[in-house]
Amino acid sequence: MHGRPEIVFVIARAENGVIGRDGGLPWRLPEDLRRFKALTMGAPMIMGRKTFESLPKLLPGRRHIVLTRRRWQAEGAEVARTIEDALALVDGPRVSVIGGAEIYRLFLPVADRIELTEVHGRPEGDTVMPPFTGWRESAREDHGGYSFVTLVR
């Protein structure tokens, strides 16, 4: 594993690439939130400042590593300025990258796995993520209105 944790994206993305609207999610999928919790529990999470600020509260059982260029701090947030700094804070075999779009773009070249919730539909949104190309689907679970998909390199 060349001495770094497994980097896992946890992301929900609609058919049109939308991943967010007005600092939140443009859909309500309780099953996706349960899966998010199961996938991220017990491991540090790396996120951008706006994603951190969009959380209703600190998520129990997980460290909140916030990647930002700003001079910024918040209760419960461990601030990092670079990808390398963020990864240096990780003290386990795995880290979840949870957004937003800019953070996903920064980590995409080094990501090992993507846990994707494909939202069937084309909601309006202001944050988009292009399709993941060059990845192979290793698992898929189809549900009404969404699918849980695991992508690997």
Side-chain angles (χ1 to χ4, degrees):
M1 192 180 77
H2 26 280
R4 71 162 175 80
E6 179 187 27
I7 298 169
V8 181
F9 281 18
V10 182
I11 182 172
R13 181 183 175 279
E15 290 166 358
N16 57 354
V18 167
I19 64 168
R21 180 176 62 215
D22 301 330
L25 297 172
W27 47 73
R28 257 191 62 69
L29 288 174
E31 303 81 6
D32 177 54
L33 297 177
R34 276 194 289 281
R35 181 172 188 252
F36 175 89
K37 182 178 182 177
L39 286 167
T40 59
M41 188 55 75
M45 301 177 302
I46 295 175
M47 68 202 81
R49 176 188 52 81
K50 288 186 227 161
T51 297
F52 178 86
E53 290 174 346
S54 78
L55 298 174
K57 62 182 189 323
L58 289 176
L59 304 179
R62 291 153 279 189
R63 288 172 53 212
H64 298 63
I65 299 170
V66 179
L67 188 55
T68 179
R69 289 181 291 268
R70 295 183 175 193
R71 293 186 64 77
W72 174 89
Q73 61 184 45
E75 182 79 29
E78 298 173 59
V79 178
R81 303 258 180 260
T82 66
I83 289 180
E84 295 76 24
D85 290 348
L87 289 173
L89 290 170
V90 176
D91 57 354
R94 162 178 68 87
V95 63
S96 302
V97 175
I98 66 165
E102 186 58 30
I103 303 302
Y104 289 128
R105 273 193 280 285
L106 287 171
F107 278 90
L108 192 57
V110 296
D112 298 300
R113 181 164 42 103
I114 299 171
E115 293 294 347
L116 172 65
T117 299
E118 277 178 358
V119 179
H120 305 164
R122 307 177 76 75
E124 293 286 312
D126 52 26
T127 310
V128 296
M129 190 73 201
F132 297 107
T133 53
W135 291 79
R136 179 176 58 78
E137 194 175 296
S138 70
R140 171 179 287 269
E141 216 181 280
D142 292 316
H143 301 273
Y146 61 94
S147 300
F148 293 147
V149 183
T150 300
L151 302 172
V152 293
R153 291 253 184 227

